[in-house]
Amino acid sequence: MIRLPADRPAVMGILNVTPDSFSDGGAFADWREAADYGRSLAAAGADIVDVGGESTRPGAVEVPVEEEMRRVIPVVSELASSGVPVSIDTRKATVAEEALRAGAVVINDVSGFRAPDMVRVAAESQATVCIMHMKGEPRNMQSAPFYKDVVEEVKGFLAGQADLLSSRGVRHENIWVDPGIGFGKRHDDNLVLLRRLEEISSIGFPVLVGVSRKSFLGTISGEATPRLRLGESMAAGLYCLQQGARILRVHDVAATVGAIRVWQALQNSG
Ligand code: HH2
């Protein structure tokens, strides 16, 4: 488990150990390089480093469990032994279990703990869990998603999964929720979710949001290259904080930490 800072939002730095992630796939030659990068994210101010070995970009196919383990476990283990708080970004219970054994303290499941095995692993551990909403699976999630009221549906799902995990013994303070920006959402669904983020906070758990470099930002600004969406990512991240988000999941840690400091100084001035 991990405790959030009481006096400021937290930053989760993204470490993708994948050949095909949408903005930074294939960046590392081996696990040592990936771990060095993770340490640099912590040095830049990340409170948590989120290690993922399977891309969840729209259309991505599932990675076999052995391959995902081979990618992430040495990195998790190395970072944890350097004292970096690690989150494991996985949909597979076996990977989550092994990552916890290697020292991870957060399970970030983009499937929102829909798999009974994932619920079991969470319940048997002391880990913090991040429940994310996704409609469908990465391979089909962007084919005609539809909601009557996206906020109500996402909120209902997150509250239901939080209840399920609580009933199995996961402590309230170890649960975070995430609306899953870009996961089975149309452009306007993403915008509405961010505008009404306070309604998601109202279910009583810290809200984590991942907007960094995502394609809805490119749709707004016209920037087609994900890693050039820094300004877009900062603007959206600060907007989320204004709407009550407690944790930002980002690629650009140093820029985000600086932006948060300025935002907070302005909030607290006068
Ligand atoms: N977004 C991505 C992956 N994991 N986890 C949470 N809790 N929230 C998110 O919004 C989220 C997430 C997708 O981004 P990224 O890891 O950069 O890309 P990819 O899935 O292609 O590896």
Side-chain angles (χ1 to χ4, degrees):
M1 65 167 175
I2 187 164
R3 286 287 147 260
L4 290 172
D7 54 341
R8 60 173 175 82
V11 174
M12 174 186 265
I14 301 171
L15 175 48
N16 283 323
V17 200
T18 50
D20 58 344
S21 283
F22 80 97
S23 87
D24 57 358
F28 311 109
D30 62 20
W31 64 267
R32 287 176 197 81
E33 254 185 41
D36 282 344
Y37 182 73
R39 276 188 283 262
S40 80
L41 294 179
D47 299 285
I48 313 142
V49 172
D50 191 36
V51 179
E54 176 184 62
S55 174
T56 48
R57 71 182 196 292
V61 287
E62 267 198 45
V63 173
V65 65
E66 300 74 25
E67 174 61 14
E68 194 177 327
M69 297 260 236
R70 194 190 61 75
R71 292 178 186 176
V72 296
I73 300 302
V75 182
V76 170
S77 170
E78 177 71 15
L79 284 176
S81 59
S82 320
V84 176
V86 175
S87 155
I88 180 72
D89 185 347
T90 188
R91 298 185 287 159
K92 299 188 184 78
T94 325
V95 176
E97 207 161 21
E98 205 53 45
L100 294 177
R101 221 170 273 140
V105 290
V106 179
I107 308 174
N108 174 25
D109 177 9
V110 299
S111 292
F113 296 83
R114 281 181 279 169
D117 265 0
M118 265 302 209
V119 175
R120 178 187 53 76
V121 171
E124 287 170 2
S125 75
Q126 299 293 316
T128 295
V129 297
C130 178
I131 307 170
M132 198 196 81
H133 175 273
M134 163 165 64
K135 199 165 182 121
E137 302 297 328
R139 95 190 114 72
N140 62 13
M141 67 188 178
Q142 290 307 114
S143 42
F146 174 79
Y147 300 87
K148 233 160 80 190
D149 181 331
V150 68
V151 178
E152 284 306 312
E153 190 168 328
V154 168
K155 208 170 118 180
F157 171 81
L158 296 174
Q161 292 304 95
D163 274 353
L164 169 69
L165 287 161
S166 299
S167 75
R168 297 286 299 275
V170 177
R171 295 156 67 116
H172 190 286
E173 65 264 32
N174 289 346
I175 298 177
W176 301 343
V177 295
D178 179 342
I181 298 302
F183 287 85
K185 317 275 177 350
R186 296 162 296 189
H187 181 73
D188 284 354
D189 297 327
N190 292 318
L191 303 192
V192 170
L193 278 166
L194 296 181
R195 187 158 45 75
R196 293 171 55 193
L197 206 54
E198 275 172 354
E199 292 176 48
I200 309 275
S201 304
S202 75
I203 65 177
F205 300 97
V207 173
L208 181 149
V209 189
V211 288
S212 186
R213 301 184 183 175
K214 284 194 175 162
S215 72
F216 81 101
L217 297 173
T219 304
I220 297 170
S221 71
E223 178 53 68
T225 307
R227 80 190 145 68
L228 298 182
R229 295 179 189 142
L230 178 63
E232 292 87 333
S233 302
M234 293 303 116
L238 294 182
Y239 180 81
C240 292
L241 298 182
Q242 204 79 36
Q243 305 295 104
R246 294 281 306 280
I247 310 124
L248 293 181
R249 181 181 182 276
V250 303
H251 300 87
D252 301 288
V253 170
T256 305
V257 168
I260 290 176
R261 286 198 183 130
V262 171
W263 174 78
Q264 266 207 309
L266 293 168
Q267 294 259 89
N268 299 336
S269 67

